[in-house]
């Protein structure tokens, strides 16, 4: 027995003046709302991600982000290479910050749905640079391509990171 016809068991869509349900199309956030600056993104990292104190955003726009990390402050494997989980964490953080920069507001509920990483070379402690580039900015999903390079500029890891972005609620502020 189903309750599909029972109005108390299913959500009701708001009705328009004509009596039919009003359908609201979800809109992708407008890139014209401005982006978060590197200083604003660094403040976000300090507030929300104290474990990443070694990271600093040096450049950001709605399409790309450059983040530097002091590799001497990151966990290493025996033999002195930066651990794989640390490398994955760096590209994930860069993707998260790029999406927040593009949205123009802190969005802590943007969540990683997929992270595919290829470890290409062994990064040693030292300055690490992560360059993240927006491949797709959709209403609900964002795809970021990221590269992690060591101090010499050698490519250490390449990643594709997909994020789920929560919808904005009508009437709710963006801050």
């Amino acid at each position: 027995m189903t309750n599909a016809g029972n109005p108390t068991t299913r959500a009701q869509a708001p009705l328009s003046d004509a009596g039919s349900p009003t359908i609201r199309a979800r809109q992708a956030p407008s890139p014209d709302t401005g982006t978060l600056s590197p200083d604003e993104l660094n403040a976000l990292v300090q507030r929300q991600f104290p474990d990443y104190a070694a990271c600093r955003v040096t450049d950001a726009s709605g399409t790309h982000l450059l983040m530097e990390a002091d590799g001497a402050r990151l966990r290493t494997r025996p033999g002195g290479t930066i651990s794989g989980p640390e490398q994955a964490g760096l590209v994930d953080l860069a993707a998260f910050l790029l999406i927040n920069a593009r949205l123009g507001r802190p969005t802590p509920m943007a969540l990683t749905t997929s992270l595919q990483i290829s470890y290409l070379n062994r990064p040693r402690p030292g300055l690490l640079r992560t360059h993240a580039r927006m491949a797709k900015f959709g209403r609900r999903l964002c795809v970021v391509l990221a590269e992690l390079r060591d101090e010499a500029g050698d490519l250490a890891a390449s990643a594709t990171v997909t994020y789920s972005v929560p919808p904005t609620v009508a009437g709710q502020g963006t801050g």
Side-chain angles (χ1 to χ4, degrees):
M1 181 166 126
T2 65
N3 290 327
N6 185 343
T8 61
T9 60
R10 63 180 184 156
Q12 297 291 316
L15 298 179
S16 68
D17 292 337
S20 60
T22 302
I23 298 173
R24 292 185 191 145
R26 289 187 187 167
Q27 298 293 321
S30 170
D32 300 332
T33 60
T35 59
L36 294 179
S37 71
D39 289 339
E40 291 170 310
L41 294 168
N42 289 325
L44 177 64
V45 171
Q46 288 175 354
R47 280 191 319 273
Q48 301 291 327
F49 304 101
D51 290 349
Y52 287 99
C55 300
R56 183 174 63 89
V57 175
T58 58
D59 187 29
S61 73
T63 58
H64 78 277
L65 178 133
L66 183 61
M67 183 179 75
E68 294 180 347
D70 179 2
R73 295 171 59 189
L74 301 174
R75 289 182 295 249
T76 59
R77 296 272 187 231
T81 187
I82 304 295
S83 73
E86 287 281 27
Q87 294 177 57
L90 292 174
V91 297
D92 188 36
L93 178 62
F96 175 82
L97 294 172
L98 174 57
I99 290 165
N100 278 264
R102 173 75 178 255
L103 290 169
R105 66 183 188 281
T107 308
M109 290 308 297
L111 303 173
T112 309
T113 60
S114 172
L115 189 151
Q116 300 166 349
I117 188 166
S118 296
Y119 301 104
L120 305 171
N121 287 302
R122 183 177 157 178
R124 303 236 182 227
L127 182 66
L128 299 173
R129 289 185 179 91
T130 305
H131 182 258
R133 180 175 57 88
M134 189 70 69
K136 177 186 185 294
F137 187 77
R139 290 179 295 184
R140 294 298 303 258
L141 292 178
C142 296
V143 178
V144 175
L145 306 177
E147 291 184 345
L148 177 66
R149 294 185 179 271
D150 66 13
E151 199 161 12
D154 294 331
L155 185 61
S158 177
T160 302
V161 187
T162 304
Y163 263 79
S164 173
V165 178
T168 56
V169 177
Q172 190 177 41
T174 59

